[in-house]
Amino acid sequence: MALNDKQTFRDALGAFPSGVTIVSTTDGEGRHWGFTASSFSSVSMDPPLVLVCIANTADSHPAFMKARRYAINILSQGQEAIAMHFARKGVDKFGPHEFRYGSEDEPHPPVLPGSMASLVCTAHDVYAAGDHTVLIGRIEDVELGDATPLVYYNRGFRNLELETEAETLS
Ligand SMILES: Cc1cc2nc3c(=O)[nH]c(=O)nc-3n(C[C@H](O)[C@H](O)[C@H](O)COP(=O)(O)O)c2cc1C
């Protein structure tokens, strides 16, 4: 692959199936920020660390650079529309959707009901990496849902066929 062959690079990355997340935070003025991300990964068990990469050009980038807390909401099947909505720039991202917001008494980032899981993180580290920034979060709280995960593969959303025990054994 030629180094400048971006298409081959994209095709290779598209060969890796991943989940889909919405990463969300609330800034000091009470404004909510969020973006769709598939670059989520677990990092460490002890302490419990995860990562997600944000484009330096994202409108929410400055807010995530300053954020002390953010949530990583792991999306479930049926949340494709909200995934696409949070991948759009210049729209009212939170207005049309029902998040659970923190309060002065109980500050926490926006949590999306119906997700597979919402990981509430404190900002642990930030690394500049090319045209993205790696956000390392320390998981402080987890809310687990009961659903089927949304999968992203080869630039499209996919439904995961859960194997039954019979299929696994056959
Ligand atoms: C399935 C999917 C996965 C994405 N993953 C990422 C990602 O990991 N990091 C990222 O910075 N943008 C990712 N994007 C693009 C952002 O969601 C998009 O650029 C968004 O508009 C950024 O929000 P903002 O500019 O309003 O902050 C992804 C988009 C889609 C549809």
Side-chain angles (χ1 to χ4, degrees):
M1 170 183 115
L3 265 183
N4 60 358
D5 186 353
K6 286 192 180 162
Q7 193 54 49
T8 307
F9 180 59
R10 286 205 185 104
D11 289 348
L13 297 188
F16 184 64
S18 69
V20 187
T21 70
I22 288 177
V23 190
S24 51
T25 193
T26 304
D27 69 19
E29 279 81 54
R31 185 163 174 199
H32 308 302
W33 298 89
F35 67 104
T36 300
S38 57
S39 57
F40 168 76
S41 177
S42 59
V43 174
S44 158
M45 282 292 283
D46 186 16
L49 302 178
V50 293
L51 72 76
V52 68
C53 303
I54 181 169
N56 297 337
T57 52
D59 295 341
S60 55
H61 186 271
F64 281 99
M65 289 304 94
K66 280 196 226 147
R68 286 172 43 216
R69 282 194 199 84
Y70 45 85
I72 301 174
N73 302 281
I74 300 174
L75 300 190
S76 56
Q77 220 167 279
Q79 291 183 315
E80 294 87 342
I82 188 166
M84 288 313 295
H85 188 68
F86 271 75
R88 273 181 211 116
K89 283 182 174 290
V91 295
D92 173 12
K93 295 201 179 179
F94 289 85
H97 303 288
E98 288 187 7
F99 281 78
R100 216 179 52 250
Y101 299 105
S103 62
E104 252 177 53
D105 294 343
E106 204 195 330
H108 65 76
V111 165
L112 180 62
S115 302
M116 291 299 298
S118 295
L119 317 177
V120 176
C121 302
T122 49
H124 183 79
D125 251 320
V126 169
Y127 296 102
D131 56 12
H132 279 60
T133 303
V134 185
L135 307 174
I136 307 266
R138 181 182 176 125
I139 301 176
E140 303 292 348
D141 199 11
V142 170
E143 206 168 288
L144 274 180
D146 181 19
T148 307
L150 182 60
V151 173
Y152 192 68
Y153 166 66
N154 202 14
R155 296 181 202 96
F157 297 112
R158 316 282 163 188
N159 289 339
L160 187 65
E161 296 290 334
L162 289 183
E163 290 181 8
T164 64
E165 196 178 346
E167 283 170 334
T168 310
L169 292 174
S170 62

